[in-house]
């Protein structure tokens, strides 16, 4: 079961918007690892990050688009894994880059 949210445009602010992700079948990893050291590429290159994201297809940990290197979205583009989740403590939202939809996996 999934709860979907989508960025709302100016005309949609007063309406509830339901969107869907057409890539749910790509989700293989749903739980974060017990320990997350940081963005895999930033750790290797000496870079830094703002927030961390986990790829739902392979478990790759990358940095968000507010980070200088934007490794999570680069991974999605280069590898073709479209769905990520927040790897930040206390956050449980997921996002599909292709469908531009944010959702929560209901457990």
């Amino acid at each position: 079961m999934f709860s979907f949210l989508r960025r709302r445009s100016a005309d949609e602010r007063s309406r509830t918007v339901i969107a869907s992700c057409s890539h749910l079948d790509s989700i293989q990893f749903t739980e974060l690892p017990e320990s997350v050291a940081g963005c895999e590429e930033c750790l290797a290159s000496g870079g830094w990050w703002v927030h961390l994201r986990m790829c739902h297809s392979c478990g790759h940990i990358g940095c968000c688009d507010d980070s200088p290197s934007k490794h999570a979205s680069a991974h999605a583009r280069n590898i073709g894994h479209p769905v990520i989740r927040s790897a930040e403590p206390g956050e449980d939202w997921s996002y599909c880059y292709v469908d531009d939809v944010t959702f929560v996996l209901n457990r």
Side-chain angles (χ1 to χ4, degrees), residues 4-93:
F4 292 98
L5 305 168
R6 184 171 64 89
R7 289 190 189 130
R8 294 179 356 177
S9 69
D11 340 336
E12 297 171 328
R13 288 190 184 139
S14 63
R15 296 182 286 156
T16 299
V17 176
I18 303 296
S20 63
C21 172
S22 60
H23 301 91
L24 297 177
D25 59 341
S26 72
I27 295 176
Q28 300 295 316
F29 292 78
T30 57
E31 297 299 321
L32 294 173
E34 284 199 25
S35 171
V36 176
C39 171
E40 295 171 14
E41 289 90 348
C42 287
L43 288 169
S45 68
W48 60 275
W49 57 89
V50 177
H51 301 289
L52 298 173
R53 308 296 181 236
M54 183 187 82
C55 174
H56 269 305
S57 296
C58 68
H60 171 268
I61 301 291
C63 55
C64 71
D65 283 355
D66 289 333
S67 302
S69 297
K70 305 176 182 181
H71 287 123
S73 60
H75 175 81
R77 273 190 316 279
N78 297 334
I79 306 298
H81 294 167
V83 185
I84 53 115
R85 70 159 284 171
S86 175
E88 293 297 311
E91 295 184 354
D92 63 353
W93 57 267

